[in-house]
Amino acid sequence: MWFIIDDQMADDRRIRRLPLATVGLWVKLCVIHSKGVSMQSKDPSAYPGHFDQLDLKDAGGTMRQLQQLIDAGLMEEHDGGWRPVYAEGICREPRVLTEEQREARRKAGSKGGRRKAANQKAKQTSGDLPENSQANEEQNSSETGSKPSSKLLEDSQAKTWHKTDTDTDIPSPTPPAGTAKQTASEAPDAFAAIAETYPGTIGAKGRKAEREARDLVETITENPVQLARLQSAVRRYRRAVNDGHVPQRQVPRLATWLRDQWETWAPEPITPTRQHKHTWNCEHVHQLMDPHEDEYDHSGSLREGNPSKWYLACQACADELNQETSKEKQ
C-alpha cells in the first residue's frame, strides 16, 4: 500500500506555514501509519490503527511538532494516539488491496512478462532471417555453379576466396610500443555507460531521440561533479524501477528523463563549508570572556569612536582566535 501525496501539496498554505522539519515528520508519520494499516489488513492485531508517543520518538519528532500538525489540521487524536487526516490538496487516503486484487495483479504481471519474452524472441528470430537468406543464396550458387562453364566456376571461386582468405591474410597493424596516451576509441564513453544503466528506451542509434540524449549527457557531464551526480541518479532510478516503486510503463525515454527528471533523483551537491570568522560578539568569544565580564569597564561608545574596554578586550580575544585558526590551516 502506498501513502499518496498530492502534487499540489507544496502550494497549500497549511504546509507553507509549517517548519520544514515538521513537514518531514508529517511524511514519516503518515508512512508509519500507512504501513501499519497495510499490516492490519492481513493481521488485525499487528497495528492498533494509530501511532503512539513511542512511534513519534522513533520518527525523531517532538510533541511540539506534533501539536503543530494537529493545529494545522493534518493530525488528529484517535483512541489514545494519533493518526493522519487526509486533506484535500495535500494527501489522499491509501487504498488497501484485497487478496483477490493482489492475485489479479500478480497474474497480470506474469502475463505481461511472458508476452515481453515472446516479443523479444520474435525480434531475435527476425534478426536472424537476413543471415539465413544469405547463407541459402551462397549454397544455391555453389550448387548451380558446377553446371555452367569452367570459367564461371573460376570466377565464383575467386570471389569466394576474396571474401575469406584475403581478409584473414592481411596482417593487422600493431601499435607502437610506449604510447601511454589513450585513443579516442578507448576513452570511456559517459553516454554509453548511462544508456546501459538506464532502465528505459534510448531510441534508435543516430535518430533524433538518441542524438538529443547524447547531447544532454555531454552538456551535463562537462562538470565532473555533475557527472558523478548523474551516474548516481541513474543507479537510483534503475533501483526504483526494479523494486517496483516506479511502474515500467511510466519510464520515459532517456532524453525526456534527462531533460525533466534526473536532478530529482540525484543526490544534493556538496557545498564547501564556510570558515567561521570570530568577532567580538560571537559565541566562542562569549564562552571565553563572559566569566570575566565584571572585570572590564563597559562605558564608551563605538559609534562615537570611544569603544569600551569590554569591547576592546573581546575584539582582542576574537583576533587571537582567528590567528590560531590560520596557524592550524598552515
Side-chain angles (χ1 to χ4, degrees):
M1 186 177 66
W2 295 80
F3 168 58
I4 305 172
I5 298 179
D6 196 284
D7 56 3
Q8 302 296 323
M9 180 270 286
D11 299 327
D12 193 279
R13 59 186 180 87
R14 288 168 290 187
I15 293 294
R16 288 187 302 186
R17 290 176 178 177
L18 289 173
L20 186 59
T22 305
V23 176
L25 175 65
W26 169 72
V27 174
K28 290 183 71 173
L29 293 176
C30 288
V31 170
I32 291 172
H33 178 73
S34 297
K35 182 179 180 181
V37 172
S38 178
M39 295 167 57
Q40 191 181 41
S41 63
K42 300 176 183 179
D43 182 9
S45 62
Y47 183 67
H50 60 271
F51 60 86
D52 55 19
Q53 199 164 356
L54 289 176
D55 296 324
L56 175 66
K57 186 177 180 181
D58 290 341
T62 63
M63 289 300 298
R64 181 172 177 272
Q65 291 174 318
L66 179 62
Q67 189 60 48
Q68 290 175 341
L69 294 172
I70 294 173
D71 295 341
L74 299 177
M75 290 286 171
E76 64 178 3
E77 296 184 5
H78 177 73
D79 197 19
W82 302 272
R83 65 181 181 184
V85 176
Y86 301 102
E88 182 69 24
I90 295 184
C91 60
R92 303 176 188 174
E93 187 171 1
R95 185 178 63 179
V96 181
L97 298 178
T98 63
E99 190 59 38
E100 291 78 9
Q101 290 172 327
R102 293 195 188 94
E103 184 64 27
R105 287 197 175 189
R106 280 194 291 269
K107 289 181 179 179
S110 176
K111 187 177 180 181
R114 289 196 299 270
R115 188 185 298 113
K116 185 176 180 181
N119 291 339
Q120 290 178 348
K121 186 175 182 180
K123 288 181 180 178
Q124 293 174 356
T125 305
S126 62
D128 294 340
L129 289 178
E131 297 177 359
N132 295 334
S133 61
Q134 184 178 0
N136 292 335
E137 289 175 2
E138 292 178 356
Q139 183 177 1
N140 293 335
S141 63
S142 63
E143 290 175 356
T144 56
S146 59
K147 296 179 181 179
S149 63
S150 60
K151 184 178 181 181
L152 293 177
L153 178 60
E154 291 174 0
D155 292 341
S156 63
Q157 288 175 344
K159 291 178 181 177
T160 306
W161 292 333
H162 174 71
K163 290 180 181 177
T164 56
D165 297 344
T166 307
D167 291 341
T168 56
D169 290 342
I170 296 177
S172 57
T174 57
T179 55
K181 269 191 175 181
Q182 195 175 32
T183 61
S185 60
E186 294 174 349
D189 187 357
F191 174 76
I194 297 298
E196 184 178 356
T197 308
Y198 186 68
T201 57
I202 312 299
K205 188 175 183 179
R207 302 298 292 270
K208 180 180 178 182
E210 193 263 353
R211 291 199 308 271
E212 183 182 1
R214 187 178 292 274
D215 293 341
L216 286 168
V217 170
E218 289 180 359
T219 303
I220 295 170
T221 56
E222 288 177 356
N223 185 346
V225 177
Q226 293 293 76
L227 171 60
R229 294 184 67 219
L230 176 59
Q231 291 171 339
S232 178
V234 172
R235 290 193 297 268
R236 287 182 176 186
Y237 190 67
R238 181 186 182 92
R239 193 157 51 244
V241 174
N242 293 340
D243 293 344
H245 299 312
V246 177
Q248 186 68 46
R249 64 179 181 276
Q250 294 182 7
V251 177
R253 281 191 172 183
L254 177 59
T256 304
W257 185 81
L258 289 169
R259 192 172 54 248
D260 302 332
Q261 296 186 27
W262 83 270
E263 287 189 296
T264 62
W265 293 91
E268 291 296 326
I270 301 175
T271 56
T273 56
R274 185 178 178 183
Q275 184 65 36
H276 173 70
K277 184 178 180 181
H278 300 286
T279 63
W280 76 275
N281 201 30
C282 74
E283 59 177 347
H284 305 98
V285 173
H286 274 291
Q287 289 176 359
L288 296 173
M289 295 298 296
D290 281 355
H292 310 284
E293 185 175 1
D294 296 336
E295 301 173 10
Y296 295 91
D297 185 8
H298 287 256
S299 60
S301 173
L302 181 63
R303 186 176 301 174
E304 296 176 359
N306 183 28
S308 65
K309 292 182 179 181
W310 167 249
Y311 169 81
L312 294 174
C314 291
Q315 187 60 52
C317 179
D319 294 339
E320 187 177 348
L321 289 175
N322 288 326
Q323 289 177 2
E324 291 178 359
T325 304
S326 62
K327 287 180 182 179
E328 290 176 359
K329 279 188 174 181
Q330 294 173 358

